[in-house]
Amino acid sequence: TLSKARTAAIVQLAKEIGEGKHGNYDSLMITHNNKLVFESYHKRGRYNLVHPQASATKGLTSLVLGRAIQLGYLTMADLNKPLVSFLKDVDESKLVKGADKITLHKALTMQGGLNIDTEKWQEIEKTPTALRGQGLVQTLLEHSAPITAESQIYKYGNFNPMLVMTVIDAVVPGTAEDFIKTEVLDKLNISNYRWATHPSGLPQAGSRVNLTSRDMLKVGNIVASKGKWQGQPFVSAEYLTKATRGIVKPTEDWMPDDYRYGYFWYQAPVKVNDKTYDVSFAWGGGGQRVIVVEELELVIAITGHDREDKIMAKISEIVIPAFM
């Protein structure tokens, strides 16, 4: 149990969020040791309303891949094989030089290395039939500049999430859409959600998913419990260890300097007094965050519609210390 002072500090923070003192946020949720200990809704937030996840969707896509590994449809070794080797409909003879350098590992760390002329791509999008299914990857890898060691640097977005979703669709029984519903969402008792479809016909992978705040906590608790759900292995623990590790340093100027990137999950050190915690989180624009402090078995979910998105400072200052 928390001390009265620490509890009061979290309640005070929630009141201030409600008054808009820290930006436009819609919910603040906390689980500790897999139990819901704090829940607050503000502005557009309600317990039974789904909320846009923006790029926090990417963290969920990563767990879907980890679920496929847990069920044996992929192995950890497969993460370093050419991505096209899983795509039987792709004609490799037509691809640009170096296309085989793109692996799941590279795509998951935003280092796929695609380089496509924007105007050319806008032209291609006018005939969406060519992008159906694996046609998306075929088209991307026909029209990109060659993939080289120099091009395979961190570049956020850059079609990487959909490269990963295309492989999921290729390796699981049935479709990626069926797999996400039956093997992930149904198993987590998530029925109130929206998962949009990409022009390829596959599920979106980088954004356009809506979940409730409570269901965001479920996503976080899988990470906090090393891949378990209700005590049973759910997502490959070996995969998760890698996914939530800081593998590359992001180079976008809007990402704080101490942030690192794993497999669609961020990692950052949070210093509390003289102790530093490794914090993993899925993060989407507007303030969507699933924050996991595994060492404390602590999961925090936040939703918002805030352009500045500076709430993380308050989480580090008030919420995490309360559970030390």
Side-chain angles (χ1 to χ4, degrees):
T1 56
L2 299 186
S3 71
K4 278 188 176 166
R6 288 178 171 188
T7 303
I10 293 173
V11 172
Q12 180 59 32
L13 173 62
K15 279 185 179 160
E16 290 174 8
I17 290 171
E19 289 159 6
K21 284 187 180 170
H22 304 294
N24 291 316
Y25 292 97
D26 301 324
S27 68
L28 170 63
M29 320 279 289
I30 306 168
T31 64
H32 187 228
N33 299 326
N34 216 351
K35 290 188 176 65
L36 181 62
V37 295
F38 188 82
E39 180 171 31
S40 67
Y41 297 97
H42 318 274
K43 297 185 168 61
R44 301 178 191 177
R46 300 289 182 275
Y47 82 94
N48 59 347
L49 282 187
V50 293
H51 198 287
Q53 297 298 293
S55 283
T57 297
K58 295 176 175 72
L60 187 53
T61 296
S62 183
L63 295 195
V64 172
L65 184 71
R67 177 74 175 143
I69 292 173
Q70 177 64 37
L71 294 173
Y73 301 125
L74 279 168
T75 66
M76 290 298 289
D78 287 337
L79 298 175
N80 294 308
K81 291 178 186 162
L83 189 131
V84 289
S85 66
F86 302 101
L87 306 179
K88 302 299 171 246
D89 298 343
V90 168
D91 180 352
E92 293 189 43
S93 69
K94 294 181 176 171
L95 308 184
V96 296
K97 197 170 182 313
D100 58 347
K101 288 184 189 294
I102 304 179
T103 60
L104 281 167
H105 172 83
K106 289 286 187 189
L108 287 159
T109 52
M110 299 294 184
Q111 300 179 100
L114 288 167
N115 191 354
I116 292 179
D117 179 70
T118 312
E119 283 179 19
K120 185 188 274 185
W121 188 251
Q122 285 167 347
E123 200 53 43
I124 289 166
E125 285 183 313
K126 289 176 185 166
T127 31
T129 47
L131 306 178
R132 299 296 287 177
Q134 294 179 21
L136 172 71
V137 177
Q138 178 84 46
T139 309
L140 286 168
L141 287 175
E142 281 182 28
H143 292 90
S144 173
I147 311 297
T148 64
E150 290 72 36
S151 83
Q152 287 196 305
I153 53 170
Y154 187 92
K155 191 173 177 190
Y156 187 75
N158 199 26
F159 302 101
N160 287 300
M162 283 312 299
L163 294 180
V164 173
M165 186 59 77
T166 307
V167 173
I168 293 170
D169 187 70
V171 301
V172 300
T175 64
E177 186 180 356
D178 296 336
F179 181 79
I180 288 167
K181 185 183 182 309
T182 59
E183 278 302 336
V184 181
L185 301 174
D186 286 357
K187 295 274 195 294
L188 300 176
N189 302 318
I190 295 177
S191 56
N192 183 10
Y193 68 93
R194 284 207 295 277
W195 197 305
T197 303
H198 185 268
S200 62
L202 302 179
Q204 286 281 4
S207 64
R208 316 242 355 246
V209 168
N210 292 28
L211 292 178
T212 67
S213 301
R214 287 179 178 180
D215 288 337
M216 290 168 75
L217 289 171
K218 292 177 184 175
V219 171
N221 275 308
I222 289 168
V223 176
S225 60
K226 295 183 167 62
K228 290 197 166 114
W229 171 249
Q230 295 179 337
Q232 298 301 310
F234 188 75
V235 166
S236 159
E238 192 183 354
Y239 174 82
L240 259 188
T241 301
K242 194 140 193 210
T244 55
R245 187 185 295 158
I247 299 171
V248 288
K249 184 175 177 359
T251 48
E252 313 291 336
D253 55 11
W254 46 270
M255 294 180 187
D257 206 44
D258 58 353
Y259 280 28
R260 296 294 177 268
Y261 204 71
Y263 289 167
F264 296 161
W265 281 77
Y266 293 85
Q267 188 268 335
V270 170
K271 199 166 188 295
V272 180
N273 303 330
D274 47 8
K275 183 158 173 52
T276 301
Y277 291 100
D278 278 334
V279 179
S280 306
F281 50 101
W283 179 26
Q288 330 316 320
R289 291 178 190 252
V290 179
I291 302 162
V292 181
V293 190
E294 194 185 301
E295 197 180 331
L296 299 174
E297 283 197 72
L298 180 65
V299 178
I300 302 151
I302 301 166
T303 55
H305 50 286
D306 188 81
R307 284 183 68 86
E308 297 294 312
D309 190 14
K310 298 228 166 69
I311 197 73
M312 199 68 184
K314 287 289 164 197
I315 299 302
S316 305
E317 183 190 319
I318 294 165
V319 181
I320 294 172
F323 294 89
M324 284 173 69

